[in-house]
Amino acid sequence: MLSPQRRDQLTGLALLAPTVLLFAGLIFYPMAQSLFLSLHKVSTLTQRTQYVGLANFQALFADPAFLTTFFNTIVWTVGAVLLQLVLGVAGALVLNGRLVGRSLARGLLLFPYLLPTAVAVLVWRWLFNDLYGLINHVLMSVGLIAAPIAWLSQSPNAMITVILVGSWKFFPFVIIAVLARLQSIPESLYEAAQVDGASRWAQFWDITLPQLASVLSVVILLRGIWDFKEFDLIYLMTGGGPGISTQTLPILVYREAFQLLNFGRGAAVAVTMFGFMLLFFAVHIWATRHHETEGR
Amino acid sequence: MRGRIGFALYNLLVWCLVVAVAFPLLWMIGTALKPNDETFAIPPTLIPAHPTLAQFHRLLTDTPFLTYFTNSVLVAAGTTILVIVIAVAGAYGLVRFRFPGRSLIAHMVLFTYMLPAVVLLLPLYLIISAIGLANSLFGLVIAYTTFALPFALWLLRSFIAGIPLALEQAAMVDGAGRLRAFVDVVLPQAVPGIISTAMFSFILSWNEYLYALVFINVDERKTLPPGVLTMLNQNQNVEWALLMAASVLMSVPVLLCFVFLQKHLTRGFGASSVKG
Amino acid sequence: MSSVHLKQLRMAFPDGTVGLHGLSLDIADGEFLTFLGPSGSGKTTTLRMIAGLEHPSAGEIWFGTRRVDLLSPADRNVAMVFQNYALYPHMTVRRNLEYPLRKRGVPRGDRASRIAEVTALLKIDGLLDRRPRQLSGGQQQRVALGRAMVRPSEVFLLDEPLSNLDAELRAHMRAELIQLHRSLGRTMIYVTHDQMEAMTMSTRIAVLSQGRLQQLATPHEVYHAPANKFVATFVGSPAMNMLVGRLELAGDVLRFVSEHLTVALPDCRRAELHGAPAQVAAGIRPEDLRLTPGEGDGRVTVVERAGHEAVVWLTLGRQRLVARAAAGTPAEAGTAVAVSVDGGRLHLFAEEGGQRLIGACPA
């Protein structure tokens, strides 16, 4: 007869079995195959593979277009995360305070996060349209610009526009994370500070900000990870253009693999990205390790 | 008195900013309600002079929009059901059972939740083509499992962890077996969490673009995101009012879920790990 | 109903810490046994192992002549009241009470009569259609008791069931539980860190500390003849005073000598102390400490007047002491006080290891 512990362990494993199987088949096997492909030359016609070692990577890193792409990815990620952080913290502070119609404001500010990226892109492309777009029209009619600006078809405008739109779409994440933390700061801390004679500004500086520090570090990390791998928004806004001025790593993977049918090279870019993700992930685990142990 | 005026001014300022953030959504709705000749009117107006549902009518009758919509519903609903069934069992196993490798599996789930879709894109494409599911909605469902399952597991894990362990133990002392206790006691408690997880999984699948773009190449199987963007790129003269109407209809299911989900946004956005 | 036997129960956690170091004890049929101890003493672990919710790393559990440690909770036929009651939130009170009956396959007609009986006994028959969150803490407590009582079980386990109630209700429930035990006659095993509950309700108390059984005895014995220093100071409030000193034979009289207090021990103690170590700790219950205000080298620091009595805190040199005095005691903070104690009331423990050497003389 099985001991109760053993029986329990087996039940637990049985419940997890479908999950583990799907993970193995749909995530880990493909990951391994990505790695495999990145070390091979794949014939487009026959799909026959030939081992080439690190040749794909060598070719990649020697390619100036790759370096530009990499640089673009960094610019996009850093720019978007910073802007989201500013907008998000401001939004959270506003929503945490007294405000008429607060729940409506909360809904309006948070909704873009769940909006289909395709919809966000359509609306913003309509707003940023060179000829008929509302934004050019308004800027011209108030006299800020004399001629319409090509927001998406000129560099560096395109990158700036993409960062703006991306921040609009994703900053609600920062709001919700910061807001949750703000609401968990006990009111008695502020009351104690008031009794101790702290001004509102001092309260913000000495209580609110230190309490937010840990949240912000995790928010930066998570948004960093997610923006780093963002494909839909950038690809749909600009397709990576003009030229490759807004092409980021995920777009490069797609292009190499599905437009140039260069499987090995596409896989090499994907594996490079994967390496960066591992790094981010390690930092994330390290940064949240105490939350994990608390949550058990 | 000064305080009240200050408060009013502050509210006014904040609301201007809120409206500015929400403006693209208002502009989308405004444009969708305009007749074609008003779309490019100068000066542009937010509120149509002659509001009409003509764009919606055209969308549903003259374009494949309805096909895309149906496909999206099928894929999103299929993914959601598949993922919820597997994830409820998996999350329960992960939260309540002790066995070697448990924390490894938990970390694995978190890791895959953050994994970039493009890393899996190429091999998944090869696998799904190899098993003959290219250009099929079911193939898309399988591909969506790669992000929806880790997400649902992660979310359900936190919901189930919030159900007091003592409830199951009471049921076991009362004579129920382990799985019986799960069905009798845990499942009813987890229903709100399961519903919200289902809604979030639905939204994720509904919004997905990249896999849908790569795995489906025939028009009648396309889902909304790539489908509608095909409509954008088809004509030289872009019919913005029509596209805005499509955008509005695409957003409606998401909006309905969003209203339902207000309470669980912190978890659903994946922000609960930062709650501290 | 049955007796319960724990044989060398051991609990080691995966992180290597040991929660229980081989606990053995026998609980008689119909007994009310309380596991008393501070948090981390292993008392809840023991109870949960009896219920089958945790599995011992070694050792056996027997209910009468049936070995149960390899059985699942459902197969052990125990009833349990949880600390937070663990009422099923999605079921009405009636469904909560019915659940254990349904799981045991009790026919519908019998279920109703069992529920009627229990709810009448606990006076909760008016609440049957409510849900747990619509009940007060005291009512939830009763429903939890009812759910445990509703079916016959071998043993009745209670895990700190009163800890979430306010003081008044707690006192009231104590009395009810005593009555309940008397009328049901079931074997009850009770876990608490509250000595008042343990003292008032139990037939016997098992005092646990750091995973080891310190003493298993009646409440009277635990209080009047504590087995060691831990039990002596853990049971009793305010806690027993503990003075370090040595035993000296002065002529014909055996004395306990400490820095500021010397106590002559009566003859009845001599025989017991034969061969005792010289270094000892003397325990004095606050009520055994006699104070003579106005003179002496004790100094009163605080007087807590509680109406029916006063608790006097004082220092004797560097030694801090606490005494129970009559409500009208003239002792005031800052005044001098003389301290004495009847040698027959002294509890002596080995300084090393803390084992009891002798208790108070028989009165």
Side-chain angles (χ1 to χ4, degrees), chain C residues 144-315:
Chain C
L145 274 171
R147 193 175 63 188
M149 283 163 46
V150 75
R151 68 191 160 88
S153 59
E154 305 255 1
V155 282
F156 202 97
L157 309 174
L158 300 107
D159 183 11
E160 308 220 19
L162 305 186
S163 60
N164 289 343
L165 301 179
D166 60 45
E168 196 185 340
L169 203 51
R170 200 182 302 184
H172 180 74
M173 283 308 296
R174 273 203 316 256
E176 288 213 6
L177 278 175
I178 294 170
Q179 247 181 343
L180 212 59
H181 175 240
R182 202 177 300 146
S183 61
L184 294 175
R186 290 203 204 162
T187 311
M188 290 196 171
I189 304 178
Y190 191 97
V191 160
T192 186
H193 63 269
D194 182 321
Q195 44 170 304
M196 188 67 156
E197 289 172 18
M199 297 297 282
T200 52
M201 296 191 288
S202 327
T203 355
R204 283 191 301 163
I205 299 176
V207 185
L208 291 179
S209 170
Q210 299 186 331
R212 287 195 166 87
L213 181 64
Q214 306 292 321
Q215 186 167 14
L216 174 65
T218 63
H220 185 272
E221 255 184 287
V222 165
Y223 190 81
H224 293 285
N228 56 35
K229 276 206 289 192
F230 174 81
V231 178
T233 49
F234 186 71
V235 176
S237 175
M240 184 186 274
N241 297 293
M242 208 50 87
L243 286 80
V244 178
R246 59 188 187 280
L247 292 175
E248 279 182 10
L249 201 58
D252 209 20
V253 181
L254 186 63
R255 299 187 310 175
F256 167 77
V257 182
S258 70
E259 196 178 347
H260 297 279
L261 193 68
T262 299
V263 183
L265 300 171
D267 289 344
C268 69
R269 320 292 291 269
R270 295 267 312 258
E272 292 179 62
L273 283 173
H274 192 74
Q279 290 295 318
V280 296
I284 309 167
R285 291 261 175 231
E287 56 268 34
D288 294 332
L289 211 55
R290 275 200 308 269
L291 304 181
T292 318
E295 55 191 277
D297 43 6
R299 189 148 296 269
V300 177
T301 51
V302 175
V303 181
E304 298 172 352
R305 295 185 191 279
H308 65 290
E309 63 167 21
V311 172
V312 180
W313 298 83
L314 57 134
T315 55

Side-chain angles (χ1 to χ4, degrees), chain A residues 8-9 16 22 28 30 34 99-101 106 114 116 123 126 132 137 168 218 222 229 231-232 277 285 291, chain B residues 11 15 21 24 27 31 40 44 86 97-99 107-108 114-115 119 123 178 207 209-210 240 254 262 274 276:
Chain A
D8 230 41
Q9 288 181 352
L16 268 167
L22 276 180
F28 293 110
S34 252
L99 184 70
V100 177
R106 179 174 180 268
L114 293 183
V123 176
W126 171 218
Y132 307 104
H137 178 84
W168 177 83
V218 180
L222 280 176
K229 69 175 195 176
F231 171 86
D232 299 6
M277 298 304 299
I285 291 295
H291 296 291
Chain B
N11 270 278
W15 267 100
V21 170
W27 187 241
T31 309
F40 302 107
I86 295 170
F97 292 84
R98 307 199 168 274
F99 48 85
H107 276 129
M108 188 180 84
M114 296 181 173
L115 197 69
V119 171
R178 182 102 209 199
N207 292 354
Y209 174 74
L210 176 60
W240 284 108
V254 179
Q262 288 285 347
V274 293

Side-chain angles (χ1 to χ4, degrees), chain B residues 162-182:
Chain B
I163 300 172
L165 182 59
L167 286 182
E168 285 156 80
Q169 298 185 326
M172 283 157 69
V173 168
D174 282 345
R178 182 102 209 199
L179 292 179
R180 192 72 233 171
F182 170 68

